[in-house]
Amino acid sequence: QVQLMESGGGSVQAGGSLRLSCAASGYTGNSYCMGWFRQAPGKGREGVAQIDSDGRTNYADSVKGRFTISQDNAKNTLYLQMNSLKPEDTAMYFCANRPNCEVAVSGRPGSGNTYRYWGQGTQVIVSS
């Protein structure tokens, strides 16, 4: 059973930075995608960024150039570095795992419906 635990959320002023972490355990496959997704109050879930086991990434247009997804395989940890934060980035952020997956570099993260395992989320609040 895959377990995911996010951390690193908090409150920050617009223009600031945060780094989210997602500690993963229990996955034994060689091929996977890991993603960051977010959901703001009253809105649907949206994909933020994805990375696969070979390091391919893609991003939502709204965060491209500001956010960076990365992973440390030795630590089984996924990261999301968020810079130049905006109030519209305020949301609950979730990490998720999808086995046997490849990221299309030219694509965009979807809403996460194909992802199987999810963490509990970490809250990000950006004030103006």
Side-chain angles (χ1 to χ4, degrees):
Q1 181 72 16
V2 176
Q3 293 187 321
L4 304 171
M5 182 172 292
E6 303 93 338
S7 61
S11 296
V12 65
Q13 288 191 326
S17 298
L18 284 173
R19 187 176 80 157
L20 305 184
S21 299
C22 172
S25 62
Y27 185 70
T28 58
N30 294 324
S31 173
Y32 61 84
C33 290
M34 293 289 295
W36 286 100
F37 300 85
R38 66 187 182 186
Q39 187 163 18
K43 295 187 177 181
R45 187 175 62 205
E46 64 170 336
V48 175
Q50 299 181 109
I51 189 168
D52 67 18
S53 46
D54 289 326
R56 288 177 287 254
T57 62
N58 63 23
Y59 296 87
D61 290 342
S62 59
V63 307
K64 194 173 292 184
R66 300 188 297 123
F67 291 10
T68 303
I69 189 171
S70 62
Q71 59 190 350
D72 185 331
N73 292 329
K75 296 181 178 180
N76 292 326
T77 302
L78 177 74
Y79 301 101
L80 184 68
Q81 178 67 45
M82 305 187 295
N83 298 329
S84 302
L85 282 160
K86 303 176 181 180
E88 50 263 44
D89 295 317
T90 294
M92 184 71 80
Y93 283 71
F94 300 89
C95 68
N97 172 282
R98 177 186 172 191
N100 302 315
C101 167
E102 288 187 11
V103 166
V105 175
S106 61
R108 300 292 183 271
S111 62
N113 289 339
T114 58
Y115 277 70
R116 182 179 301 176
Y117 304 105
W118 291 83
Q120 294 299 307
T122 186
Q123 181 71 50
V124 171
I125 299 172
V126 184
S127 58
S128 57

